[in-house]
Amino acid sequence: MSIYKIAAKTGFSVSTVARALSGTGYCSKEKKKIILQVAKEMNYKPNHAAKELRQKETKRIIFGIPEIDNPYYFKMIQGVNSLLEEHGYIMMIFNTKKQLKKELEMIDLLAQKYCDGIILVSHDFSETNVNAIRETNRPAVILNRYLDQRPDDNFDYVYNNHIQAMEFATEHLVQRGCKKILLFTGDQSEQTSSERTQGYYNVLRKYNIPIDKKIILNGDYRKDCAYEVFKKFLRNNPVDFDGIVTSNDMMALGVLDVCDEVGIKVPDNFKLVSFDNTDMANIIKPKLSSIDLHEYELGRKGSELLLERLNGRVTATNYTLTPTLYVRQSSEI
Amino acid sequence: MSIYKIAAKTGFSVSTVARALSGTGYCSKEKKKIILQVAKEMNYKPNHAAKELRQKETKRIIFGIPEIDNPYYFKMIQGVNSLLEEHGYIMMIFNTKKQLKKELEMIDLLAQKYCDGIILVSHDFSETNVNAIRETNRPAVILNRYLDQRPDDNFDYVYNNHIQAMEFATEHLVQRGCKKILLFTGDQSEQTSSERTQGYYNVLRKYNIPIDKKIILNGDYRKDCAYEVFKKFLRNNPVDFDGIVTSNDMMALGVLDVCDEVGIKVPDNFKLVSFDNTDMANIIKPKLSSIDLHEYELGRKGSELLLERLNGRVTATNYTLTPTLYVRQSSEI
DNA sequence: CTGTTAGCGCGTTCAT
DNA sequence: ATGAACGCGCTAACAG
């Protein structure tokens, strides 16, 4: 099925058929009517690949995330999709599995014009993938990381101010009277974790609270891990702390499970603030004070910048989101 | 950038260049080396649209879901992606927003060869979209609905046995001694809801428990709605029931919130079973007995059947998943 | 082993 | 208003 078949059937030329079907260019009413009729009869459907080849546009965007099974990205996926959908683009999800190789594979698809642009949440953003993106010279947006940007770069950044986010969380506890605050975070080699630790330090210094590296506990953002780490900590240390910040709600759940077991009450024995402000934060008891990183907005802003690129913007830009602290029972005085 | 440019630059013919780059067909070592070298220098990338046009294959699958912001589909998305990814396909998510129009739009993309196949979770499956899918005569899989299937159809079905699922839930409560069981479900016009109600009836009849339509409460699967509906119910009725089945975990949370407020204890005052077996079920107190519909498997099986189609299977098939009941505190004796 | 040539299906320019 | 002809970039059949 193609416009050639329709041309043969109707006796008109291919170009007349093409004009009739696309609606652009001249075509008499009568011929158009016949052509549309025949197209319907023959169940004609335009071939998208041919269109893409001709018009150099796919109407597709790839959204790459490090872990497709991590609910953390669910809101971001929605945010990215929301605006793209409004503009007639379809979002493709690409699971990069925290592998540089997969990220490069995805960037290669951009180079091959498999899509019109990409939005990438990089796991460990390095010169390698930034340069690969530069080489494509095609529209791209990077979420949640910031490495380096030149005015003529073909990509934009949207990122969270993780330092500020942790400052909010820590300062909140200090202002509620906490003097010794435990920090649960991810591996320090990850940019996010190290930035957050930085924010924690900033506040302690500001209030002249001594820094004790032994109360910075590294986990992996999972509930079970936080449970084990905290349990082990309590075995070897007295409950002389009065605050805890966990780097996500799941870790907070792990901490609370331990508390339940050993009879520690939150917020009576210590106050707790976590990150991500997921549904859990509102459902669990006590309700969790939590930092909202606005993942939906992050995704939506990312797609907004990408759409601008697709519409012709050429100078590189970036956008920083400000986190919000939602105060609930777990940090009540 | 194209193989023509490389041909011009190297002085070889297009076909030699094509053979060298694709790796198929004959090409001498020396020429191949030069060609690859020049391709790299010129930053050559094959054009995917041209490839698609030629080979009639996109390596893309569209997965259509009724609500992208409903976490219920999150696991299904992962399931669909898992197998496709292994086979080199990229999954595109298409939000049909419970609109027939959007579903038809998506089916049209299949007809246009925008993708190699589709997997569709239809909101309200009708003759209209089944026929639209038939007309494309291209690979498709329908999840979670079953209308009608002919041996030569171009689509397959994977679905949950919702009747059986509700039978499991209801019978579990009966066996734990419940005599009067409230049912919270969705709108009865939806296939899923009516099937579940059917399962509920089946069990009551089996055990000679009288059916009382006043204790079948229709909600919309959201926590807030269940909260309001249950609160209103308690205002007008005594607590003379001893069991509740809610059609998802979110509704169960709404019910439990009301219980907290008015001082009803679960499972002491009544036993509760819900559906979906989400993370919530394990985190909330009491932990929820819940029916697992195996959404991940549903998605994965769907993509499996689609891949079979893509590999040449032509006879229609279907697959039914058996639900599993996880028993936890909320229905303990 | 290599080169010529012919599509794939569409959009578009350029005559008429 | 209409049609002939070309090009987008790649693959593959065919001849040499």
Side-chain angles (χ1 to χ4, degrees), chain A residues 13 15-16 19 26 28 31 54 56:
Chain A
S13 76
S15 33
T16 303
R19 281 192 289 264
Y26 299 105
S28 69
K31 293 197 178 172
R54 187 62 229 247
K56 304 179 183 326

PDB file of all heavy atoms in Angstrom, chain A residues 13 15-16 19 26 28 31 54 56, chain D residues 1-10:
ATOM      1  N   SER A  13      -1.880  11.330 -10.945  1.00  0.00           N
ATOM      2  CA  SER A  13      -0.445  11.183 -10.702  1.00  0.00           C
ATOM      3  C   SER A  13      -0.148  11.061  -9.213  1.00  0.00           C
ATOM      4  O   SER A  13      -0.972  11.426  -8.375  1.00  0.00           O
ATOM      5  CB  SER A  13       0.302  12.387 -11.239  1.00  0.00           C
ATOM      6  OG  SER A  13       0.128  13.475 -10.372  1.00  0.00           O
ATOM      7  N   SER A  15       1.881  12.728  -7.426  1.00  0.00           N
ATOM      8  CA  SER A  15       1.954  14.010  -6.721  1.00  0.00           C
ATOM      9  C   SER A  15       0.570  14.542  -6.389  1.00  0.00           C
ATOM     10  O   SER A  15       0.362  15.107  -5.326  1.00  0.00           O
ATOM     11  CB  SER A  15       2.758  15.037  -7.512  1.00  0.00           C
ATOM     12  OG  SER A  15       2.597  14.843  -8.880  1.00  0.00           O
ATOM     13  N   THR A  16      -0.369  14.335  -7.271  1.00  0.00           N
ATOM     14  CA  THR A  16      -1.736  14.775  -6.974  1.00  0.00           C
ATOM     15  C   THR A  16      -2.262  14.007  -5.758  1.00  0.00           C
ATOM     16  O   THR A  16      -2.845  14.581  -4.845  1.00  0.00           O
ATOM     17  CB  THR A  16      -2.667  14.512  -8.172  1.00  0.00           C
ATOM     18  OG1 THR A  16      -2.136  15.171  -9.318  1.00  0.00           O
ATOM     19  CG2 THR A  16      -4.058  15.047  -7.911  1.00  0.00           C
ATOM     20  N   ARG A  19      -0.596  15.271  -2.655  1.00  0.00           N
ATOM     21  CA  ARG A  19      -1.151  16.563  -2.229  1.00  0.00           C
ATOM     22  C   ARG A  19      -2.524  16.383  -1.594  1.00  0.00           C
ATOM     23  O   ARG A  19      -2.836  16.991  -0.573  1.00  0.00           O
ATOM     24  CB  ARG A  19      -1.233  17.513  -3.424  1.00  0.00           C
ATOM     25  CG  ARG A  19       0.098  18.146  -3.776  1.00  0.00           C
ATOM     26  CD  ARG A  19      -0.103  19.284  -4.753  1.00  0.00           C
ATOM     27  NE  ARG A  19      -0.489  18.804  -6.084  1.00  0.00           N
ATOM     28  CZ  ARG A  19       0.376  18.622  -7.074  1.00  0.00           C
ATOM     29  NH1 ARG A  19       1.659  18.866  -6.904  1.00  0.00           N
ATOM     30  NH2 ARG A  19      -0.039  18.188  -8.241  1.00  0.00           N
ATOM     31  N   TYR A  26      -2.021  22.401  -4.054  1.00  0.00           N
ATOM     32  CA  TYR A  26      -3.272  22.463  -4.803  1.00  0.00           C
ATOM     33  C   TYR A  26      -3.813  21.086  -5.161  1.00  0.00           C
ATOM     34  O   TYR A  26      -3.073  20.171  -5.477  1.00  0.00           O
ATOM     35  CB  TYR A  26      -3.068  23.252  -6.105  1.00  0.00           C
ATOM     36  CG  TYR A  26      -2.634  24.674  -5.883  1.00  0.00           C
ATOM     37  CD1 TYR A  26      -1.319  25.079  -6.108  1.00  0.00           C
ATOM     38  CD2 TYR A  26      -3.558  25.632  -5.447  1.00  0.00           C
ATOM     39  CE1 TYR A  26      -0.922  26.376  -5.901  1.00  0.00           C
ATOM     40  CE2 TYR A  26      -3.165  26.941  -5.233  1.00  0.00           C
ATOM     41  CZ  TYR A  26      -1.840  27.317  -5.459  1.00  0.00           C
ATOM     42  OH  TYR A  26      -1.468  28.611  -5.253  1.00  0.00           O
ATOM     43  N   SER A  28      -7.902  19.828  -6.784  1.00  0.00           N
ATOM     44  CA  SER A  28      -9.322  20.155  -6.968  1.00  0.00           C
ATOM     45  C   SER A  28     -10.196  19.343  -6.024  1.00  0.00           C
ATOM     46  O   SER A  28      -9.853  18.217  -5.649  1.00  0.00           O
ATOM     47  CB  SER A  28      -9.746  19.889  -8.412  1.00  0.00           C
ATOM     48  OG  SER A  28      -9.751  18.509  -8.656  1.00  0.00           O
ATOM     49  N   LYS A  31     -11.237  15.714  -7.365  1.00  0.00           N
ATOM     50  CA  LYS A  31     -10.173  14.718  -7.331  1.00  0.00           C
ATOM     51  C   LYS A  31      -9.843  14.324  -5.903  1.00  0.00           C
ATOM     52  O   LYS A  31      -9.640  13.152  -5.589  1.00  0.00           O
ATOM     53  CB  LYS A  31      -8.922  15.251  -8.029  1.00  0.00           C
ATOM     54  CG  LYS A  31      -9.148  15.431  -9.519  1.00  0.00           C
ATOM     55  CD  LYS A  31      -7.864  15.560 -10.284  1.00  0.00           C
ATOM     56  CE  LYS A  31      -8.209  15.676 -11.776  1.00  0.00           C
ATOM     57  NZ  LYS A  31      -7.048  15.988 -12.603  1.00  0.00           N
ATOM     58  N   ARG A  54      12.248  11.521   4.667  1.00  0.00           N
ATOM     59  CA  ARG A  54      12.038  12.728   3.871  1.00  0.00           C
ATOM     60  C   ARG A  54      12.144  14.006   4.722  1.00  0.00           C
ATOM     61  O   ARG A  54      12.819  14.958   4.368  1.00  0.00           O
ATOM     62  CB  ARG A  54      10.642  12.623   3.249  1.00  0.00           C
ATOM     63  CG  ARG A  54      10.259  13.673   2.259  1.00  0.00           C
ATOM     64  CD  ARG A  54      11.182  13.644   1.069  1.00  0.00           C
ATOM     65  NE  ARG A  54      11.629  14.987   0.823  1.00  0.00           N
ATOM     66  CZ  ARG A  54      11.319  15.711  -0.240  1.00  0.00           C
ATOM     67  NH1 ARG A  54      10.685  15.180  -1.233  1.00  0.00           N
ATOM     68  NH2 ARG A  54      11.702  16.950  -0.345  1.00  0.00           N
ATOM     69  N   LYS A  56      13.100  14.330   7.963  1.00  0.00           N
ATOM     70  CA  LYS A  56      14.118  14.382   9.017  1.00  0.00           C
ATOM     71  C   LYS A  56      13.531  14.729  10.378  1.00  0.00           C
ATOM     72  O   LYS A  56      14.037  15.587  11.103  1.00  0.00           O
ATOM     73  CB  LYS A  56      15.199  15.374   8.624  1.00  0.00           C
ATOM     74  CG  LYS A  56      15.819  15.062   7.277  1.00  0.00           C
ATOM     75  CD  LYS A  56      16.861  16.043   6.874  1.00  0.00           C
ATOM     76  CE  LYS A  56      17.383  15.706   5.488  1.00  0.00           C
ATOM     77  NZ  LYS A  56      17.427  14.258   5.202  1.00  0.00           N
TER      78      LYS A  56
ATOM     79  P    DA D   1      -5.941  25.790  -7.762  1.00  0.00           P
ATOM     80  OP1  DA D   1      -7.253  26.339  -7.484  1.00  0.00           O
ATOM     81  OP2  DA D   1      -4.922  25.659  -6.748  1.00  0.00           O
ATOM     82  O5'  DA D   1      -6.019  24.412  -8.535  1.00  0.00           O
ATOM     83  C5'  DA D   1      -7.182  23.912  -9.127  1.00  0.00           C
ATOM     84  C4'  DA D   1      -6.719  23.000 -10.234  1.00  0.00           C
ATOM     85  O4'  DA D   1      -5.588  23.611 -10.913  1.00  0.00           O
ATOM     86  C3'  DA D   1      -6.256  21.635  -9.746  1.00  0.00           C
ATOM     87  O3'  DA D   1      -6.734  20.655 -10.658  1.00  0.00           O
ATOM     88  C2'  DA D   1      -4.730  21.730  -9.785  1.00  0.00           C
ATOM     89  C1'  DA D   1      -4.499  22.690 -10.938  1.00  0.00           C
ATOM     90  N9   DA D   1      -3.278  23.508 -10.790  1.00  0.00           N
ATOM     91  C8   DA D   1      -2.994  24.404  -9.809  1.00  0.00           C
ATOM     92  N7   DA D   1      -1.827  24.994  -9.957  1.00  0.00           N
ATOM     93  C5   DA D   1      -1.315  24.444 -11.115  1.00  0.00           C
ATOM     94  C6   DA D   1      -0.119  24.646 -11.817  1.00  0.00           C
ATOM     95  N6   DA D   1       0.829  25.511 -11.423  1.00  0.00           N
ATOM     96  N1   DA D   1       0.078  23.934 -12.947  1.00  0.00           N
ATOM     97  C2   DA D   1      -0.872  23.081 -13.337  1.00  0.00           C
ATOM     98  N3   DA D   1      -2.044  22.803 -12.771  1.00  0.00           N
ATOM     99  C4   DA D   1      -2.198  23.525 -11.647  1.00  0.00           C
ATOM    100  P    DT D   2      -6.569  19.143 -10.341  1.00  0.00           P
ATOM    101  OP1  DT D   2      -7.640  18.408 -11.056  1.00  0.00           O
ATOM    102  OP2  DT D   2      -6.412  19.006  -8.902  1.00  0.00           O
ATOM    103  O5'  DT D   2      -5.208  18.803 -11.043  1.00  0.00           O
ATOM    104  C5'  DT D   2      -5.188  18.505 -12.418  1.00  0.00           C
ATOM    105  C4'  DT D   2      -3.769  18.271 -12.852  1.00  0.00           C
ATOM    106  O4'  DT D   2      -2.919  19.328 -12.409  1.00  0.00           O
ATOM    107  C3'  DT D   2      -3.110  16.999 -12.308  1.00  0.00           C
ATOM    108  O3'  DT D   2      -3.118  16.034 -13.339  1.00  0.00           O
ATOM    109  C2'  DT D   2      -1.700  17.416 -11.907  1.00  0.00           C
ATOM    110  C1'  DT D   2      -1.600  18.832 -12.451  1.00  0.00           C
ATOM    111  N1   DT D   2      -0.743  19.781 -11.705  1.00  0.00           N
ATOM    112  C2   DT D   2       0.474  20.129 -12.238  1.00  0.00           C
ATOM    113  O2   DT D   2       0.893  19.698 -13.281  1.00  0.00           O
ATOM    114  N3   DT D   2       1.192  21.034 -11.489  1.00  0.00           N
ATOM    115  C4   DT D   2       0.810  21.610 -10.286  1.00  0.00           C
ATOM    116  O4   DT D   2       1.534  22.407  -9.708  1.00  0.00           O
ATOM    117  C5   DT D   2      -0.471  21.205  -9.789  1.00  0.00           C
ATOM    118  C7   DT D   2      -0.969  21.749  -8.513  1.00  0.00           C
ATOM    119  C6   DT D   2      -1.189  20.310 -10.513  1.00  0.00           C
ATOM    120  P    DG D   3      -2.740  14.521 -13.046  1.00  0.00           P
ATOM    121  OP1  DG D   3      -3.532  13.660 -13.952  1.00  0.00           O
ATOM    122  OP2  DG D   3      -2.792  14.314 -11.601  1.00  0.00           O
ATOM    123  O5'  DG D   3      -1.232  14.476 -13.530  1.00  0.00           O
ATOM    124  C5'  DG D   3      -0.933  14.820 -14.869  1.00  0.00           C
ATOM    125  C4'  DG D   3       0.568  14.860 -15.065  1.00  0.00           C
ATOM    126  O4'  DG D   3       1.127  15.968 -14.319  1.00  0.00           O
ATOM    127  C3'  DG D   3       1.305  13.610 -14.564  1.00  0.00           C
ATOM    128  O3'  DG D   3       2.309  13.296 -15.527  1.00  0.00           O
ATOM    129  C2'  DG D   3       1.924  14.060 -13.250  1.00  0.00           C
ATOM    130  C1'  DG D   3       2.215  15.521 -13.537  1.00  0.00           C
ATOM    131  N9   DG D   3       2.280  16.387 -12.378  1.00  0.00           N
ATOM    132  C8   DG D   3       1.376  16.461 -11.339  1.00  0.00           C
ATOM    133  N7   DG D   3       1.673  17.367 -10.447  1.00  0.00           N
ATOM    134  C5   DG D   3       2.853  17.934 -10.919  1.00  0.00           C
ATOM    135  C6   DG D   3       3.653  18.970 -10.364  1.00  0.00           C
ATOM    136  O6   DG D   3       3.468  19.607  -9.342  1.00  0.00           O
ATOM    137  N1   DG D   3       4.768  19.235 -11.173  1.00  0.00           N
ATOM    138  C2   DG D   3       5.066  18.580 -12.336  1.00  0.00           C
ATOM    139  N2   DG D   3       6.173  18.968 -12.959  1.00  0.00           N
ATOM    140  N3   DG D   3       4.321  17.611 -12.865  1.00  0.00           N
ATOM    141  C4   DG D   3       3.237  17.344 -12.103  1.00  0.00           C
ATOM    142  P    DA D   4       2.971  11.902 -15.617  1.00  0.00           P
ATOM    143  OP1  DA D   4       2.356  11.135 -16.715  1.00  0.00           O
ATOM    144  OP2  DA D   4       3.013  11.339 -14.251  1.00  0.00           O
ATOM    145  O5'  DA D   4       4.454  12.313 -16.029  1.00  0.00           O
ATOM    146  C5'  DA D   4       4.715  13.609 -16.565  1.00  0.00           C
ATOM    147  C4'  DA D   4       6.189  13.940 -16.376  1.00  0.00           C
ATOM    148  O4'  DA D   4       6.351  14.825 -15.228  1.00  0.00           O
ATOM    149  C3'  DA D   4       7.100  12.748 -16.108  1.00  0.00           C
ATOM    150  O3'  DA D   4       8.346  12.995 -16.734  1.00  0.00           O
ATOM    151  C2'  DA D   4       7.202  12.720 -14.584  1.00  0.00           C
ATOM    152  C1'  DA D   4       7.161  14.204 -14.239  1.00  0.00           C
ATOM    153  N9   DA D   4       6.536  14.513 -12.953  1.00  0.00           N
ATOM    154  C8   DA D   4       5.391  13.954 -12.426  1.00  0.00           C
ATOM    155  N7   DA D   4       5.041  14.451 -11.267  1.00  0.00           N
ATOM    156  C5   DA D   4       6.015  15.415 -11.013  1.00  0.00           C
ATOM    157  C6   DA D   4       6.218  16.300  -9.938  1.00  0.00           C
ATOM    158  N6   DA D   4       5.389  16.370  -8.884  1.00  0.00           N
ATOM    159  N1   DA D   4       7.286  17.123  -9.985  1.00  0.00           N
ATOM    160  C2   DA D   4       8.096  17.046 -11.048  1.00  0.00           C
ATOM    161  N3   DA D   4       8.015  16.263 -12.130  1.00  0.00           N
ATOM    162  C4   DA D   4       6.941  15.459 -12.044  1.00  0.00           C
ATOM    163  P    DA D   5       9.573  11.998 -16.651  1.00  0.00           P
ATOM    164  OP1  DA D   5      10.404  12.229 -17.850  1.00  0.00           O
ATOM    165  OP2  DA D   5       9.076  10.630 -16.336  1.00  0.00           O
ATOM    166  O5'  DA D   5      10.330  12.575 -15.388  1.00  0.00           O
ATOM    167  C5'  DA D   5      10.642  13.967 -15.331  1.00  0.00           C
ATOM    168  C4'  DA D   5      11.513  14.230 -14.123  1.00  0.00           C
ATOM    169  O4'  DA D   5      10.675  14.453 -12.955  1.00  0.00           O
ATOM    170  C3'  DA D   5      12.434  13.055 -13.759  1.00  0.00           C
ATOM    171  O3'  DA D   5      13.680  13.587 -13.338  1.00  0.00           O
ATOM    172  C2'  DA D   5      11.703  12.386 -12.602  1.00  0.00           C
ATOM    173  C1'  DA D   5      11.102  13.594 -11.906  1.00  0.00           C
ATOM    174  N9   DA D   5       9.931  13.309 -11.071  1.00  0.00           N
ATOM    175  C8   DA D   5       8.973  12.348 -11.256  1.00  0.00           C
ATOM    176  N7   DA D   5       8.037  12.336 -10.334  1.00  0.00           N
ATOM    177  C5   DA D   5       8.412  13.372  -9.484  1.00  0.00           C
ATOM    178  C6   DA D   5       7.839  13.876  -8.306  1.00  0.00           C
ATOM    179  N6   DA D   5       6.729  13.398  -7.760  1.00  0.00           N
ATOM    180  N1   DA D   5       8.472  14.914  -7.703  1.00  0.00           N
ATOM    181  C2   DA D   5       9.597  15.403  -8.255  1.00  0.00           C
ATOM    182  N3   DA D   5      10.230  15.006  -9.364  1.00  0.00           N
ATOM    183  C4   DA D   5       9.576  13.983  -9.928  1.00  0.00           C
ATOM    184  P    DC D   6      14.922  12.625 -13.095  1.00  0.00           P
ATOM    185  OP1  DC D   6      15.919  12.893 -14.152  1.00  0.00           O
ATOM    186  OP2  DC D   6      14.427  11.251 -12.862  1.00  0.00           O
ATOM    187  O5'  DC D   6      15.491  13.192 -11.725  1.00  0.00           O
ATOM    188  C5'  DC D   6      15.325  14.581 -11.412  1.00  0.00           C
ATOM    189  C4'  DC D   6      15.366  14.753  -9.908  1.00  0.00           C
ATOM    190  O4'  DC D   6      14.060  14.471  -9.331  1.00  0.00           O
ATOM    191  C3'  DC D   6      16.361  13.823  -9.211  1.00  0.00           C
ATOM    192  O3'  DC D   6      17.153  14.598  -8.333  1.00  0.00           O
ATOM    193  C2'  DC D   6      15.472  12.836  -8.462  1.00  0.00           C
ATOM    194  C1'  DC D   6      14.242  13.687  -8.166  1.00  0.00           C
ATOM    195  N1   DC D   6      12.979  12.927  -7.916  1.00  0.00           N
ATOM    196  C2   DC D   6      12.146  13.321  -6.860  1.00  0.00           C
ATOM    197  O2   DC D   6      12.476  14.290  -6.168  1.00  0.00           O
ATOM    198  N3   DC D   6      10.992  12.637  -6.641  1.00  0.00           N
ATOM    199  C4   DC D   6      10.672  11.600  -7.427  1.00  0.00           C
ATOM    200  N4   DC D   6       9.518  10.966  -7.168  1.00  0.00           N
ATOM    201  C5   DC D   6      11.506  11.180  -8.501  1.00  0.00           C
ATOM    202  C6   DC D   6      12.645  11.854  -8.707  1.00  0.00           C
ATOM    203  P    DG D   7      18.548  13.991  -7.853  1.00  0.00           P
ATOM    204  OP1  DG D   7      19.619  14.944  -8.215  1.00  0.00           O
ATOM    205  OP2  DG D   7      18.633  12.577  -8.259  1.00  0.00           O
ATOM    206  O5'  DG D   7      18.373  14.041  -6.275  1.00  0.00           O
ATOM    207  C5'  DG D   7      17.766  15.177  -5.648  1.00  0.00           C
ATOM    208  C4'  DG D   7      17.380  14.802  -4.231  1.00  0.00           C
ATOM    209  O4'  DG D   7      16.094  14.120  -4.241  1.00  0.00           O
ATOM    210  C3'  DG D   7      18.363  13.825  -3.574  1.00  0.00           C
ATOM    211  O3'  DG D   7      18.587  14.252  -2.235  1.00  0.00           O
ATOM    212  C2'  DG D   7      17.668  12.482  -3.623  1.00  0.00           C
ATOM    213  C1'  DG D   7      16.202  12.893  -3.540  1.00  0.00           C
ATOM    214  N9   DG D   7      15.275  11.954  -4.171  1.00  0.00           N
ATOM    215  C8   DG D   7      15.474  11.205  -5.311  1.00  0.00           C
ATOM    216  N7   DG D   7      14.441  10.458  -5.624  1.00  0.00           N
ATOM    217  C5   DG D   7      13.502  10.725  -4.628  1.00  0.00           C
ATOM    218  C6   DG D   7      12.204  10.212  -4.436  1.00  0.00           C
ATOM    219  O6   DG D   7      11.585   9.404  -5.130  1.00  0.00           O
ATOM    220  N1   DG D   7      11.600  10.752  -3.299  1.00  0.00           N
ATOM    221  C2   DG D   7      12.187  11.670  -2.465  1.00  0.00           C
ATOM    222  N2   DG D   7      11.442  12.068  -1.432  1.00  0.00           N
ATOM    223  N3   DG D   7      13.408  12.165  -2.636  1.00  0.00           N
ATOM    224  C4   DG D   7      14.003  11.642  -3.729  1.00  0.00           C
ATOM    225  P    DC D   8      19.837  13.813  -1.465  1.00  0.00           P
ATOM    226  OP1  DC D   8      20.666  15.003  -1.202  1.00  0.00           O
ATOM    227  OP2  DC D   8      20.413  12.624  -2.109  1.00  0.00           O
ATOM    228  O5'  DC D   8      19.239  13.340  -0.079  1.00  0.00           O
ATOM    229  C5'  DC D   8      18.327  14.126   0.692  1.00  0.00           C
ATOM    230  C4'  DC D   8      17.544  13.209   1.595  1.00  0.00           C
ATOM    231  O4'  DC D   8      16.458  12.637   0.850  1.00  0.00           O
ATOM    232  C3'  DC D   8      18.363  12.009   2.067  1.00  0.00           C
ATOM    233  O3'  DC D   8      18.947  12.315   3.337  1.00  0.00           O
ATOM    234  C2'  DC D   8      17.328  10.895   2.207  1.00  0.00           C
ATOM    235  C1'  DC D   8      16.121  11.388   1.413  1.00  0.00           C
ATOM    236  N1   DC D   8      15.697  10.524   0.278  1.00  0.00           N
ATOM    237  C2   DC D   8      14.378  10.074   0.207  1.00  0.00           C
ATOM    238  O2   DC D   8      13.590  10.408   1.091  1.00  0.00           O
ATOM    239  N3   DC D   8      14.012   9.281  -0.837  1.00  0.00           N
ATOM    240  C4   DC D   8      14.909   8.945  -1.774  1.00  0.00           C
ATOM    241  N4   DC D   8      14.484   8.171  -2.779  1.00  0.00           N
ATOM    242  C5   DC D   8      16.259   9.403  -1.713  1.00  0.00           C
ATOM    243  C6   DC D   8      16.609  10.178  -0.685  1.00  0.00           C
ATOM    244  P    DG D   9      20.529  12.186   3.541  1.00  0.00           P
ATOM    245  OP1  DG D   9      20.846  12.816   4.823  1.00  0.00           O
ATOM    246  OP2  DG D   9      21.220  12.608   2.303  1.00  0.00           O
ATOM    247  O5'  DG D   9      20.735  10.610   3.685  1.00  0.00           O
ATOM    248  C5'  DG D   9      20.189   9.953   4.816  1.00  0.00           C
ATOM    249  C4'  DG D   9      20.215   8.465   4.589  1.00  0.00           C
ATOM    250  O4'  DG D   9      19.387   8.128   3.458  1.00  0.00           O
ATOM    251  C3'  DG D   9      21.596   7.897   4.270  1.00  0.00           C
ATOM    252  O3'  DG D   9      21.883   6.930   5.267  1.00  0.00           O
ATOM    253  C2'  DG D   9      21.454   7.282   2.880  1.00  0.00           C
ATOM    254  C1'  DG D   9      19.956   7.019   2.813  1.00  0.00           C
ATOM    255  N9   DG D   9      19.397   6.994   1.469  1.00  0.00           N
ATOM    256  C8   DG D   9      19.754   7.768   0.388  1.00  0.00           C
ATOM    257  N7   DG D   9      19.049   7.519  -0.694  1.00  0.00           N
ATOM    258  C5   DG D   9      18.166   6.522  -0.294  1.00  0.00           C
ATOM    259  C6   DG D   9      17.162   5.853  -1.031  1.00  0.00           C
ATOM    260  O6   DG D   9      16.833   6.013  -2.214  1.00  0.00           O
ATOM    261  N1   DG D   9      16.490   4.910  -0.249  1.00  0.00           N
ATOM    262  C2   DG D   9      16.767   4.652   1.065  1.00  0.00           C
ATOM    263  N2   DG D   9      16.023   3.729   1.661  1.00  0.00           N
ATOM    264  N3   DG D   9      17.703   5.273   1.767  1.00  0.00           N
ATOM    265  C4   DG D   9      18.370   6.188   1.032  1.00  0.00           C
ATOM    266  P    DC D  10      23.131   5.955   5.177  1.00  0.00           P
ATOM    267  OP1  DC D  10      23.617   5.792   6.553  1.00  0.00           O
ATOM    268  OP2  DC D  10      24.064   6.352   4.104  1.00  0.00           O
ATOM    269  O5'  DC D  10      22.405   4.607   4.786  1.00  0.00           O
ATOM    270  C5'  DC D  10      21.366   4.119   5.642  1.00  0.00           C
ATOM    271  C4'  DC D  10      20.645   2.975   4.973  1.00  0.00           C
ATOM    272  O4'  DC D  10      20.109   3.425   3.728  1.00  0.00           O
ATOM    273  C3'  DC D  10      21.551   1.790   4.658  1.00  0.00           C
ATOM    274  O3'  DC D  10      21.131   0.672   5.416  1.00  0.00           O
ATOM    275  C2'  DC D  10      21.385   1.557   3.170  1.00  0.00           C
ATOM    276  C1'  DC D  10      20.156   2.362   2.808  1.00  0.00           C
ATOM    277  N1   DC D  10      20.231   2.952   1.457  1.00  0.00           N
ATOM    278  C2   DC D  10      19.340   2.524   0.472  1.00  0.00           C
ATOM    279  O2   DC D  10      18.504   1.658   0.756  1.00  0.00           O
ATOM    280  N3   DC D  10      19.416   3.066  -0.766  1.00  0.00           N
ATOM    281  C4   DC D  10      20.331   4.000  -1.042  1.00  0.00           C
ATOM    282  N4   DC D  10      20.368   4.513  -2.275  1.00  0.00           N
ATOM    283  C5   DC D  10      21.262   4.450  -0.057  1.00  0.00           C
ATOM    284  C6   DC D  10      21.177   3.901   1.166  1.00  0.00           C
TER     285       DC D  10
END
